Structures are given as structure tokens and as C-alpha cells.
Amino acid sequence: MKMLKMFISFFLFNLAVSAQQALTVKITSPQNGATVSGTMTVTGTSTCAKTVFLSFDHGAFEKANGLNPWGVVYEPGSLASGSRKFIERAEKG
């Protein structure tokens, strides 16, 4: 009778997978509906962002300084009084 030798090998390991965080970007100042005048700094927070951009009254997007927090300084110049809109945008990092 012939003896058969067998070798069985296996590895056990733990795989750590980080949960994917959602890309978020938010303006924190000035607050929605605030009255401002003169030079202003728009600030905000972001998560998972590589770059944050801000647009004033649907104009061109300008790159913000920083990521969390981030900020952009605006000089509105001689704009007439009225409601204005900032739009934030971010690229995922």
C-alpha cells in the first residue's frame, strides 16, 4: 500500500476597508440671508475634497484657499443693493 502525503496551506487575514465618505462642500459664512457690505470673506467646510471653488452671481468659479476650512475673499465693487448668490463646488480628492 502506497502512502500519500498531503500538505494543505491556508492563510487567514483581516482586510481593513475604509468606508467611502461622500464629497461635501458647504458655505458657513456669511449665513444664508445675511446682509453684507464691502470686502467679505466667504468661508466653508468640505470633506473628501481635492479642490473647492466658489462662484459669485453665476460668474466664473474661483479656486478657494484651503480645504477644511476654505475661504475666498470677494470685493463686490459697485454692485447695486439686492440679493446675491454664491455657489460652491468641489472636486473629489
Side-chain angles (χ1 to χ4, degrees):
M1 179 193 263
K2 212 175 195 184
M3 292 265 215
L4 183 61
K5 289 186 178 182
M6 294 179 76
F7 179 74
I8 299 174
S9 176
F10 62 93
F11 296 93
L12 295 177
F13 61 92
N14 293 321
L15 180 61
V17 178
S18 64
Q20 292 287 333
Q21 285 188 316
L23 172 64
T24 63
V25 61
K26 179 182 178 183
I27 295 173
T28 57
S29 178
Q31 301 246 337
N32 193 22
T35 300
V36 297
S37 63
T39 302
M40 70 182 108
T41 300
V42 179
T43 60
T45 59
S46 66
T47 57
C48 296
K50 175 176 76 170
T51 311
V52 174
F53 299 91
L54 195 66
S55 169
F56 178 67
D57 277 353
H58 300 285
F61 280 91
E62 180 180 334
K63 184 178 176 183
N65 297 313
L67 292 174
N68 194 22
W70 55 264
V72 176
V73 176
Y74 274 98
E75 173 58 60
S78 58
L79 292 174
S81 294
S83 294
R84 302 294 176 199
K85 186 173 189 174
F86 285 102
I87 300 171
E88 71 275 14
R89 178 186 83 168
E91 292 178 356
K92 190 160 180 126

Coordinates of all heavy atoms in Angstrom, one line a residue:
M1 N 0.8 -1.2 0.0 CA 0.0 0.0 0.0 C 0.9 1.2 0.0 O 1.8 1.3 0.8 CB -0.9 0.0 1.2 CG -1.8 1.1 1.3 SD -2.5 1.3 2.9 CE -4.0 0.6 2.8
K2 N 0.6 2.1 -0.9 CA 1.4 3.4 -1.0 C 0.8 4.5 -0.2 O -0.4 4.7 -0.1 CB 1.3 3.8 -2.5 CG 2.5 4.5 -3.0 CD 2.3 4.7 -4.5 CE 3.6 5.0 -5.1 NZ 3.5 5.4 -6.4
M3 N 1.7 5.2 0.6 CA 1.2 6.3 1.4 C 1.3 7.6 0.6 O 2.2 7.8 -0.1 CB 2.2 6.4 2.6 CG 2.0 5.3 3.6 SD 0.9 5.9 4.7 CE 1.3 5.3 6.2
L4 N 0.3 8.3 0.7 CA 0.2 9.6 0.1 C 0.3 10.7 1.1 O -0.4 10.8 2.1 CB -1.1 9.7 -0.7 CG -1.3 11.0 -1.5 CD1 -0.2 11.1 -2.6 CD2 -2.7 11.0 -2.1
K5 N 1.3 11.6 0.9 CA 1.5 12.7 1.9 C 0.8 13.9 1.3 O 0.9 14.2 0.1 CB 2.9 13.0 2.1 CG 3.6 12.0 2.9 CD 5.0 12.4 3.2 CE 5.7 11.4 4.1 NZ 7.1 11.8 4.4
M6 N 0.1 14.6 2.1 CA -0.6 15.8 1.6 C -0.2 17.0 2.5 O 0.0 16.8 3.7 CB -2.1 15.7 1.7 CG -2.7 14.6 0.8 SD -4.5 14.5 0.9 CE -5.0 15.9 0.1
F7 N -0.1 18.1 1.9 CA 0.2 19.4 2.6 C -0.9 20.4 2.2 O -1.1 20.7 1.1 CB 1.6 19.9 2.2 CG 2.0 21.1 2.9 CD1 2.3 21.2 4.2 CD2 2.0 22.3 2.2 CE1 2.7 22.3 4.8 CE2 2.3 23.5 2.8 CZ 2.7 23.5 4.1
I8 N -1.5 20.9 3.2 CA -2.6 21.9 3.0 C -2.1 23.1 3.7 O -1.7 23.1 4.8 CB -3.9 21.4 3.6 CG1 -4.4 20.1 2.9 CG2 -5.0 22.5 3.4 CD1 -5.6 19.5 3.4
S9 N -2.2 24.2 2.9 CA -1.8 25.5 3.5 C -2.9 26.5 3.3 O -3.6 26.5 2.2 CB -0.5 25.9 2.7 OG -0.2 27.2 3.1
F10 N -3.1 27.4 4.2 CA -4.1 28.4 4.0 C -3.7 29.6 4.9 O -2.9 29.5 5.9 CB -5.5 28.0 4.4 CG -5.7 27.6 5.8 CD1 -6.1 28.5 6.8 CD2 -5.5 26.3 6.2 CE1 -6.3 28.1 8.1 CE2 -5.7 25.8 7.5 CZ -6.1 26.8 8.4
F11 N -4.1 30.8 4.5 CA -3.8 32.0 5.2 C -5.1 32.6 5.7 O -6.1 32.7 5.0 CB -3.1 33.0 4.3 CG -1.7 32.5 3.8 CD1 -1.6 31.8 2.6 CD2 -0.6 32.7 4.6 CE1 -0.4 31.4 2.2 CE2 0.6 32.2 4.2 CZ 0.7 31.6 3.0
L12 N -5.0 33.1 6.9 CA -6.2 33.9 7.4 C -5.7 35.4 7.5 O -4.6 35.6 8.0 CB -6.6 33.4 8.8 CG -7.2 32.0 8.8 CD1 -7.5 31.6 10.2 CD2 -8.5 32.0 8.0
F13 N -6.5 36.3 7.1 CA -6.1 37.7 7.3 C -7.3 38.5 7.4 O -8.4 38.1 7.0 CB -5.2 38.1 6.1 CG -5.9 38.0 4.7 CD1 -6.6 39.1 4.2 CD2 -5.9 36.9 4.0 CE1 -7.3 39.0 3.0 CE2 -6.5 36.8 2.8 CZ -7.2 37.8 2.3
N14 N -7.1 39.7 8.0 CA -8.1 40.7 8.1 C -7.9 41.8 7.0 O -6.8 42.3 6.9 CB -8.2 41.3 9.5 CG -8.5 40.3 10.5 OD1 -9.4 39.5 10.3 ND2 -7.9 40.4 11.7
L15 N -8.9 42.1 6.4 CA -8.8 43.2 5.4 C -9.6 44.4 5.9 O -10.8 44.3 6.1 CB -9.4 42.7 4.0 CG -9.4 43.7 2.9 CD1 -7.9 44.1 2.5 CD2 -10.1 43.1 1.7
A16 N -8.9 45.5 6.0 CA -9.5 46.7 6.5 C -9.9 47.6 5.3 O -9.0 48.0 4.6 CB -8.6 47.5 7.5
V17 N -11.1 47.8 5.2 CA -11.6 48.7 4.1 C -12.3 49.9 4.7 O -13.2 49.7 5.5 CB -12.6 47.9 3.2 CG1 -13.1 48.8 2.1 CG2 -12.0 46.6 2.6
S18 N -11.7 51.0 4.3 CA -12.4 52.2 4.9 C -13.6 52.6 4.1 O -13.7 52.4 2.9 CB -11.4 53.4 4.8 OG -11.1 53.7 3.5
A19 N -14.6 53.0 4.8 CA -15.9 53.4 4.2 C -15.6 54.6 3.4 O -14.9 55.5 3.8 CB -16.9 53.7 5.3
Q20 N -16.2 54.7 2.2 CA -16.0 55.8 1.3 C -16.9 57.0 1.9 O -18.1 56.8 2.1 CB -16.5 55.5 -0.1 CG -15.6 54.5 -0.8 CD -14.3 55.2 -1.2 OE1 -14.2 56.4 -1.4 NE2 -13.3 54.4 -1.3
Q21 N -16.3 58.1 2.2 CA -17.0 59.2 2.6 C -17.5 60.0 1.4 O -16.9 60.0 0.4 CB -16.1 60.2 3.4 CG -15.8 59.7 4.8 CD -15.1 60.7 5.6 OE1 -14.2 61.4 5.2 NE2 -15.5 60.9 6.9
A22 N -18.6 60.6 1.6 CA -19.2 61.4 0.5 C -18.5 62.7 0.4 O -18.1 63.3 1.4 CB -20.7 61.6 0.8
L23 N -18.4 63.2 -0.8 CA -17.9 64.5 -1.1 C -18.9 65.6 -0.7 O -20.1 65.5 -1.1 CB -17.6 64.7 -2.6 CG -17.2 66.1 -3.1 CD1 -15.8 66.4 -2.4 CD2 -17.1 66.1 -4.6
T24 N -18.5 66.4 0.2 CA -19.4 67.5 0.7 C -18.7 68.8 0.7 O -17.5 68.9 0.9 CB -20.0 67.3 2.1 OG1 -18.9 67.3 3.0 CG2 -20.7 66.0 2.2
V25 N -19.4 69.9 0.4 CA -18.9 71.2 0.5 C -20.0 72.2 0.9 O -21.1 72.0 0.5 CB -18.3 71.7 -0.9 CG1 -19.3 71.7 -2.0 CG2 -17.6 73.0 -0.7
K26 N -19.7 73.0 1.9 CA -20.7 73.9 2.5 C -20.2 75.3 2.8 O -19.1 75.4 3.4 CB -21.2 73.2 3.8 CG -22.3 74.0 4.5 CD -22.7 73.3 5.8 CE -23.8 74.1 6.5 NZ -24.2 73.5 7.8
I27 N -21.0 76.3 2.5 CA -20.7 77.6 2.9 C -21.1 77.8 4.3 O -22.3 77.5 4.7 CB -21.3 78.7 2.0 CG1 -20.8 78.6 0.6 CG2 -21.2 80.1 2.5 CD1 -21.5 79.4 -0.5
T28 N -20.2 78.3 5.2 CA -20.6 78.5 6.6 C -20.7 80.0 6.9 O -21.3 80.4 7.9 CB -19.5 77.9 7.5 OG1 -18.3 78.4 7.3 CG2 -19.6 76.4 7.4
S29 N -20.1 80.9 6.1 CA -20.2 82.3 6.4 C -19.9 83.1 5.0 O -19.0 82.7 4.3 CB -19.1 82.7 7.4 OG -19.1 84.1 7.6
P30 N -20.7 84.1 4.7 CA -21.8 84.6 5.5 C -23.0 83.6 5.5 O -23.1 82.8 4.6 CB -22.2 85.9 4.8 CG -21.8 85.7 3.4 CD -20.6 84.8 3.5
Q31 N -23.8 83.7 6.5 CA -25.0 82.8 6.6 C -26.0 83.2 5.5 O -26.1 84.4 5.1 CB -25.6 83.0 8.0 CG -24.7 82.7 9.1 CD -25.1 81.5 9.9 OE1 -26.3 81.1 9.9 NE2 -24.2 80.9 10.5
N32 N -26.8 82.3 5.2 CA -27.9 82.5 4.2 C -28.8 83.6 4.6 O -29.3 83.6 5.7 CB -28.7 81.2 4.0 CG -29.6 81.3 2.7 OD1 -29.3 82.0 1.8 ND2 -30.6 80.5 2.7
G33 N -29.0 84.6 3.7 CA -29.8 85.8 4.1 C -29.2 86.9 4.8 O -29.8 87.9 5.1
A34 N -27.8 86.8 5.1 CA -27.1 87.8 5.8 C -27.0 89.1 4.9 O -26.9 89.0 3.7 CB -25.7 87.3 6.2
T35 N -26.9 90.2 5.6 CA -26.6 91.5 4.9 C -25.2 91.8 5.1 O -24.6 91.8 6.2 CB -27.5 92.6 5.5 OG1 -28.9 92.3 5.4 CG2 -27.2 93.9 4.8
V36 N -24.5 92.0 4.0 CA -23.0 92.3 4.0 C -22.7 93.5 3.2 O -23.5 93.9 2.3 CB -22.2 91.1 3.5 CG1 -22.4 89.8 4.4 CG2 -22.6 90.7 2.0
S37 N -21.6 94.1 3.4 CA -21.1 95.2 2.6 C -19.6 95.2 2.5 O -19.0 94.7 3.4 CB -21.7 96.5 3.1 OG -21.2 96.8 4.4
G38 N -19.1 95.9 1.5 CA -17.6 96.0 1.4 C -17.0 94.6 1.1 O -17.6 93.7 0.7
T39 N -15.7 94.6 1.4 CA -14.9 93.3 1.2 C -15.4 92.3 2.2 O -15.6 92.5 3.3 CB -13.4 93.6 1.4 OG1 -13.0 94.6 0.5 CG2 -12.7 92.3 1.2
M40 N -15.7 91.1 1.7 CA -16.1 90.0 2.5 C -15.3 88.7 2.3 O -14.8 88.5 1.2 CB -17.6 89.7 2.3 CG -17.9 89.1 1.0 SD -19.7 88.9 0.7 CE -19.9 90.2 -0.5
T41 N -15.2 87.9 3.3 CA -14.6 86.6 3.1 C -15.7 85.5 3.2 O -16.4 85.5 4.2 CB -13.5 86.4 4.2 OG1 -12.5 87.4 4.1 CG2 -12.9 85.0 4.0
V42 N -15.8 84.7 2.2 CA -16.8 83.6 2.2 C -16.0 82.4 2.7 O -14.9 82.1 2.1 CB -17.4 83.4 0.8 CG1 -18.3 82.2 0.9 CG2 -18.0 84.6 0.3
T43 N -16.4 81.7 3.7 CA -15.7 80.6 4.2 C -16.7 79.4 4.3 O -17.9 79.5 4.2 CB -15.2 80.8 5.7 OG1 -16.3 81.1 6.5 CG2 -14.2 81.9 5.7
G44 N -16.1 78.2 4.4 CA -16.9 77.0 4.4 C -16.0 75.8 4.8 O -14.9 75.9 5.2
T45 N -16.7 74.6 4.8 CA -16.0 73.4 5.1 C -16.2 72.4 4.0 O -17.1 72.6 3.1 CB -16.7 72.8 6.4 OG1 -18.1 72.5 6.2 CG2 -16.4 73.7 7.6
S46 N -15.4 71.3 3.9 CA -15.6 70.3 2.9 C -15.0 69.0 3.5 O -14.2 69.0 4.4 CB -14.8 70.7 1.7 OG -13.4 70.7 1.9
T47 N -15.5 67.9 2.9 CA -14.9 66.6 3.2 C -14.6 65.9 1.9 O -15.4 66.0 0.9 CB -15.9 65.7 4.1 OG1 -17.1 65.6 3.3 CG2 -16.1 66.3 5.4
C48 N -13.5 65.1 1.9 CA -13.1 64.4 0.7 C -12.9 65.2 -0.5 O -12.9 64.7 -1.6 CB -14.1 63.3 0.4 SG -14.2 62.0 1.7
A49 N -12.6 66.5 -0.3 CA -12.4 67.4 -1.5 C -10.9 67.5 -1.8 O -10.1 67.6 -0.9 CB -13.0 68.7 -1.2
K50 N -10.6 67.6 -3.0 CA -9.2 67.9 -3.5 C -9.1 69.4 -3.7 O -8.0 70.0 -3.5 CB -8.9 67.1 -4.8 CG -7.6 67.4 -5.5 CD -7.4 66.5 -6.7 CE -8.2 67.0 -7.8 NZ -7.9 66.3 -9.1
T51 N -10.2 70.0 -4.2 CA -10.2 71.4 -4.5 C -11.6 71.9 -4.4 O -12.6 71.2 -4.7 CB -9.8 71.7 -6.0 OG1 -8.6 71.0 -6.3 CG2 -9.5 73.1 -6.3
V52 N -11.7 73.2 -3.8 CA -13.0 73.8 -3.7 C -13.0 75.1 -4.5 O -12.0 75.8 -4.6 CB -13.3 74.2 -2.2 CG1 -14.6 75.0 -2.0 CG2 -13.3 72.9 -1.3
F53 N -14.2 75.3 -5.1 CA -14.3 76.5 -6.0 C -15.6 77.2 -5.6 O -16.5 76.6 -5.0 CB -14.5 76.1 -7.5 CG -13.3 75.4 -8.0 CD1 -13.3 74.0 -8.0 CD2 -12.3 76.0 -8.6 CE1 -12.2 73.3 -8.5 CE2 -11.2 75.4 -9.1 CZ -11.2 74.0 -9.1
L54 N -15.6 78.6 -5.8 CA -16.8 79.4 -5.5 C -17.1 80.3 -6.6 O -16.2 80.9 -7.2 CB -16.5 80.2 -4.2 CG -17.6 80.8 -3.5 CD1 -18.6 79.7 -2.9 CD2 -17.1 81.7 -2.4
S55 N -18.4 80.5 -6.9 CA -18.9 81.4 -7.9 C -19.8 82.4 -7.3 O -20.6 82.1 -6.4 CB -19.7 80.6 -9.0 OG -20.3 81.4 -9.9
F56 N -19.6 83.7 -7.8 CA -20.4 84.8 -7.3 C -21.4 85.2 -8.4 O -20.9 85.5 -9.5 CB -19.5 85.9 -6.9 CG -20.2 87.2 -6.4 CD1 -21.0 87.1 -5.2 CD2 -20.2 88.3 -7.1 CE1 -21.6 88.3 -4.7 CE2 -20.8 89.5 -6.7 CZ -21.5 89.4 -5.5
D57 N -22.7 85.2 -8.1 CA -23.7 85.6 -9.1 C -23.5 84.9 -10.4 O -23.6 85.5 -11.5 CB -23.7 87.1 -9.3 CG -24.5 87.8 -8.2 OD1 -25.2 87.1 -7.4 OD2 -24.5 89.1 -8.2
H58 N -23.3 83.6 -10.4 CA -23.2 82.7 -11.6 C -22.0 83.1 -12.5 O -22.0 82.8 -13.7 CB -24.5 82.7 -12.4 CG -25.6 82.2 -11.6 ND1 -25.8 80.9 -11.3 CD2 -26.7 82.9 -11.0 CE1 -26.9 80.8 -10.6 NE2 -27.5 82.0 -10.4
G59 N -21.0 83.8 -11.9 CA -19.8 84.1 -12.6 C -18.8 82.9 -12.7 O -19.2 81.8 -12.3
A60 N -17.6 83.2 -13.1 CA -16.6 82.1 -13.2 C -16.3 81.6 -11.8 O -16.3 82.3 -10.8 CB -15.4 82.6 -13.9
F61 N -16.0 80.3 -11.7 CA -15.6 79.7 -10.5 C -14.2 80.1 -10.1 O -13.3 80.0 -11.0 CB -15.8 78.2 -10.5 CG -17.2 77.7 -10.3 CD1 -18.1 77.5 -11.4 CD2 -17.7 77.5 -9.0 CE1 -19.4 77.1 -11.2 CE2 -19.0 77.1 -8.8 CZ -19.8 76.9 -9.9
E62 N -14.0 80.4 -8.9 CA -12.6 80.8 -8.4 C -12.2 79.8 -7.4 O -13.0 79.4 -6.5 CB -12.7 82.2 -7.7 CG -11.4 82.7 -7.2 CD -11.5 84.1 -6.5 OE1 -12.4 84.8 -6.9 OE2 -10.7 84.4 -5.6
K63 N -10.9 79.4 -7.4 CA -10.4 78.4 -6.5 C -10.3 79.0 -5.1 O -9.8 80.1 -4.9 CB -9.0 77.9 -7.0 CG -8.5 76.8 -6.1 CD -7.1 76.3 -6.7 CE -6.5 75.3 -5.8 NZ -5.2 74.8 -6.2
A64 N -10.8 78.3 -4.1 CA -10.7 78.7 -2.7 C -9.4 78.4 -2.1 O -8.7 77.5 -2.6 CB -11.9 78.0 -1.9
N65 N -9.0 79.1 -1.1 CA -7.8 78.8 -0.3 C -8.1 77.8 0.8 O -9.0 78.0 1.6 CB -7.3 80.1 0.3 CG -6.9 81.1 -0.7 OD1 -6.2 80.8 -1.7 ND2 -7.3 82.3 -0.5
G66 N -7.4 76.7 0.8 CA -7.6 75.7 1.8 C -8.7 74.7 1.4 O -9.3 74.8 0.4
L67 N -9.0 73.8 2.3 CA -10.0 72.7 2.1 C -11.0 72.6 3.2 O -12.2 72.6 3.0 CB -9.3 71.4 1.9 CG -8.6 71.2 0.6 CD1 -7.8 69.9 0.5 CD2 -9.5 71.4 -0.6
N68 N -10.5 72.6 4.5 CA -11.4 72.4 5.6 C -10.8 73.1 6.8 O -10.1 72.4 7.6 CB -11.7 70.9 5.8 CG -12.9 70.8 6.8 OD1 -13.7 71.6 6.9 ND2 -12.9 69.6 7.4
P69 N -11.0 74.3 7.0 CA -11.9 75.2 6.3 C -11.3 75.8 5.0 O -10.1 75.7 4.8 CB -12.1 76.3 7.3 CG -10.9 76.4 8.1 CD -10.4 75.0 8.2
W70 N -12.1 76.3 4.2 CA -11.7 77.0 3.0 C -12.2 78.4 3.0 O -13.1 78.7 3.8 CB -12.1 76.3 1.7 CG -13.6 76.0 1.6 CD1 -14.2 74.8 2.0 CD2 -14.6 76.9 1.2 NE1 -15.6 75.0 1.8 CE2 -15.8 76.2 1.3 CE3 -14.6 78.2 0.7 CZ2 -17.0 76.8 0.9 CZ3 -15.8 78.8 0.3 CH2 -17.0 78.1 0.4
G71 N -11.7 79.3 2.2 CA -12.2 80.7 2.1 C -11.8 81.4 0.8 O -10.9 81.0 0.1
V72 N -12.6 82.4 0.5 CA -12.4 83.2 -0.7 C -12.8 84.6 -0.3 O -13.8 84.9 0.3 CB -13.3 82.8 -1.9 CG1 -13.1 83.7 -3.1 CG2 -13.0 81.3 -2.3
V73 N -11.9 85.6 -0.6 CA -12.2 87.0 -0.4 C -12.8 87.6 -1.6 O -12.3 87.5 -2.7 CB -10.9 87.7 0.0 CG1 -11.1 89.2 0.2 CG2 -10.2 87.1 1.3
Y74 N -13.9 88.3 -1.4 CA -14.6 89.0 -2.5 C -14.7 90.5 -2.2 O -15.0 90.9 -1.1 CB -16.0 88.4 -2.7 CG -16.0 87.2 -3.6 CD1 -16.0 85.9 -3.0 CD2 -16.0 87.3 -5.0 CE1 -16.0 84.8 -3.8 CE2 -16.0 86.2 -5.8 CZ -16.0 85.0 -5.2 OH -16.0 83.9 -6.0
E75 N -14.5 91.2 -3.3 CA -14.7 92.7 -3.2 C -15.8 93.0 -4.3 O -15.6 93.0 -5.5 CB -13.4 93.4 -3.6 CG -13.6 94.9 -3.8 CD -14.1 95.6 -2.5 OE1 -13.4 95.5 -1.5 OE2 -15.1 96.2 -2.6
P76 N -17.0 93.2 -3.8 CA -18.1 93.3 -4.7 C -18.1 94.6 -5.6 O -18.9 94.7 -6.5 CB -19.4 93.2 -3.8 CG -18.9 93.5 -2.5 CD -17.4 93.2 -2.4
G77 N -17.3 95.5 -5.2 CA -17.2 96.8 -6.0 C -18.5 97.6 -5.9 O -19.0 97.8 -4.8
S78 N -18.9 98.1 -7.0 CA -20.1 99.0 -7.0 C -21.4 98.3 -7.5 O -22.1 98.8 -8.3 CB -19.8 100.2 -8.0 OG -19.5 99.6 -9.3
L79 N -21.6 97.1 -6.9 CA -22.9 96.4 -7.2 C -24.0 97.1 -6.5 O -23.9 97.7 -5.4 CB -22.8 95.0 -6.7 CG -21.8 94.1 -7.4 CD1 -21.8 92.7 -6.6 CD2 -22.2 93.8 -8.8
A80 N -25.2 97.1 -7.2 CA -26.4 97.6 -6.6 C -26.9 96.7 -5.5 O -26.6 95.6 -5.4 CB -27.5 97.7 -7.7
S81 N -27.6 97.3 -4.6 CA -28.1 96.5 -3.4 C -29.1 95.5 -4.0 O -29.7 95.7 -5.0 CB -28.9 97.4 -2.5 OG -28.1 98.4 -1.9
G82 N -29.1 94.4 -3.3 CA -30.0 93.3 -3.7 C -29.5 91.9 -3.3 O -28.4 91.8 -2.7
S83 N -30.2 90.9 -3.6 CA -29.8 89.6 -3.3 C -28.7 89.1 -4.3 O -28.8 89.4 -5.5 CB -31.0 88.6 -3.4 OG -32.0 88.9 -2.5
R84 N -27.8 88.4 -3.7 CA -26.6 87.9 -4.5 C -26.5 86.4 -4.2 O -27.0 85.9 -3.1 CB -25.3 88.6 -4.1 CG -25.3 90.0 -4.4 CD -25.5 90.4 -5.8 NE -25.6 91.8 -6.0 CZ -26.0 92.3 -7.1 NH1 -26.5 91.6 -8.1 NH2 -26.1 93.6 -7.2
K85 N -25.9 85.6 -5.0 CA -25.8 84.2 -4.8 C -24.4 83.7 -5.0 O -23.7 84.0 -5.9 CB -26.7 83.5 -5.9 CG -26.8 82.0 -5.7 CD -27.8 81.4 -6.6 CE -28.1 80.0 -6.2 NZ -29.2 79.4 -7.1
F86 N -24.0 82.9 -4.0 CA -22.7 82.2 -4.1 C -23.0 80.7 -4.3 O -23.9 80.2 -3.7 CB -21.9 82.3 -2.7 CG -21.3 83.6 -2.5 CD1 -21.8 84.5 -1.7 CD2 -20.1 83.9 -3.2 CE1 -21.2 85.7 -1.4 CE2 -19.5 85.1 -2.9 CZ -20.1 86.1 -2.1
I87 N -22.2 80.1 -5.2 CA -22.4 78.7 -5.5 C -21.0 78.0 -5.2 O -20.0 78.5 -5.7 CB -22.8 78.4 -6.9 CG1 -24.1 79.1 -7.2 CG2 -22.9 76.9 -7.2 CD1 -24.5 79.1 -8.7
E88 N -21.0 77.0 -4.4 CA -19.8 76.3 -4.1 C -19.8 75.0 -4.9 O -20.8 74.4 -5.2 CB -19.7 76.0 -2.6 CG -20.7 74.9 -2.0 CD -22.0 75.5 -1.6 OE1 -22.4 76.6 -2.0 OE2 -22.7 74.8 -1.0
R89 N -18.6 74.6 -5.2 CA -18.3 73.3 -6.0 C -17.0 72.7 -5.5 O -16.1 73.4 -5.1 CB -18.3 73.7 -7.4 CG -18.0 72.6 -8.4 CD -17.8 73.0 -9.8 NE -16.4 73.5 -9.9 CZ -15.8 73.8 -11.0 NH1 -16.5 73.7 -12.2 NH2 -14.6 74.1 -11.1
A90 N -16.9 71.4 -5.5 CA -15.7 70.7 -5.1 C -15.4 69.6 -6.0 O -16.3 69.0 -6.7 CB -15.8 70.2 -3.7
E91 N -14.1 69.3 -6.1 CA -13.6 68.1 -6.9 C -13.1 67.1 -5.8 O -12.5 67.4 -4.9 CB -12.5 68.5 -7.8 CG -12.9 69.4 -8.9 CD -11.7 69.8 -9.8 OE1 -10.6 69.4 -9.5 OE2 -12.0 70.4 -10.8
K92 N -13.5 65.9 -6.0 CA -13.2 64.8 -5.1 C -11.7 64.5 -5.1 O -11.0 64.5 -6.2 CB -13.9 63.5 -5.4 CG -13.8 62.5 -4.3 CD -14.9 61.5 -4.4 CE -14.7 60.5 -3.3 NZ -15.9 60.3 -2.5
G93 N -11.1 64.3 -3.9 CA -9.7 64.1 -3.8 C -9.4 62.6 -3.7 O -10.2 61.7 -3.7

